[in-house]
Amino acid sequence: MTTIYRLATADDAEQLLDLTLRAYAPIRELGIHFAAATADLALVQKNIHNNACYVLEEAGRIRATVSLRMPWGPQPGPFGLPHIWWFAVDPDIGKKGVGSALLTWVEESIVRDTLKAPAVSLGTADKHPWLSAMYERRGYVRAGEVDLGRGHTTIFFRKELHTPLP
């Protein structure tokens, strides 16, 4: 099966909304207030328009998505770096490494090799039972926290990206 990594387009919005709502069902059950967890079509379209929204596609179906908010965009991250946001993996495919593959591709091919950024950031809720540990296993380091008024403390992480020498 061929895997395609690409930027999302406006034509992907309905498929991304379906994927996101299914992927974020556990977040809603935990009572964590992530924007993606209660997204509607307008918010998905806004995300595609305002951010670099990437997808991993297999056999014509979007299996995972992750967006980058840029320091110069309307909703920059906390450190003047590309900021990972809105990460979702199709819950129907199980734990097959699809999400990890997309994150690695965005970290390396986009953030490090294309944007030439020295690092990337992301944030997650302190109340989420396993996301912080997952990001730490991927090399992210806690870099701060803030209460954004959403009923939880947001923990910010940063990952240094080292460009390999030729």
Side-chain angles (χ1 to χ4, degrees):
M1 184 177 322
T2 302
T3 299
I4 297 170
Y5 299 94
R6 64 176 177 81
L7 272 171
T9 68
D11 292 339
D12 296 317
E14 288 185 13
Q15 193 177 165
L16 283 173
L17 175 60
D18 175 66
L19 168 77
T20 299
L21 292 177
R22 288 184 297 110
Y24 277 78
I27 301 295
R28 289 190 302 277
E29 291 170 11
L30 289 169
I32 298 172
H33 302 286
F34 288 162
T38 57
D40 59 15
L41 190 58
L43 187 60
V44 172
Q45 292 167 332
K46 183 178 177 182
N47 179 48
I48 292 169
H49 182 267
N50 288 346
N51 302 302
C53 176
Y54 294 95
V55 299
L56 182 152
E57 188 177 75
E58 292 178 337
R61 291 201 48 182
I62 295 173
R63 297 300 191 177
T65 183
V66 65
S67 295
L68 286 176
R69 295 184 347 215
M70 300 300 179
W72 53 85
Q75 194 179 4
F79 306 120
L81 296 166
H83 185 78
I84 291 175
W85 188 61
W86 200 311
F87 175 47
V89 179
D90 187 337
D92 293 341
I93 61 172
K95 296 183 184 258
K96 295 185 179 176
V98 170
S100 182
L102 179 59
L103 275 177
T104 297
W105 181 79
V106 166
E107 290 166 353
E108 295 175 359
S109 296
I110 302 302
V111 177
R112 183 191 70 197
D113 298 345
T114 302
L115 298 174
K116 306 297 185 192
V120 64
S121 65
L122 60 81
T124 194
D126 66 336
K127 292 182 178 180
H128 194 286
W130 53 266
L131 279 178
S132 290
M134 180 191 83
Y135 291 127
E136 287 171 335
R137 284 191 303 274
R138 290 190 55 82
Y140 286 82
V141 176
R142 287 177 186 242
E145 59 183 58
V146 66
D147 183 346
L148 297 171
R150 295 189 181 125
H152 63 265
T153 298
T154 298
I155 301 171
F156 290 113
F157 291 85
R158 178 182 166 115
K159 182 177 182 179
E160 299 296 319
L161 304 172
H162 303 286
T163 305
L165 294 175

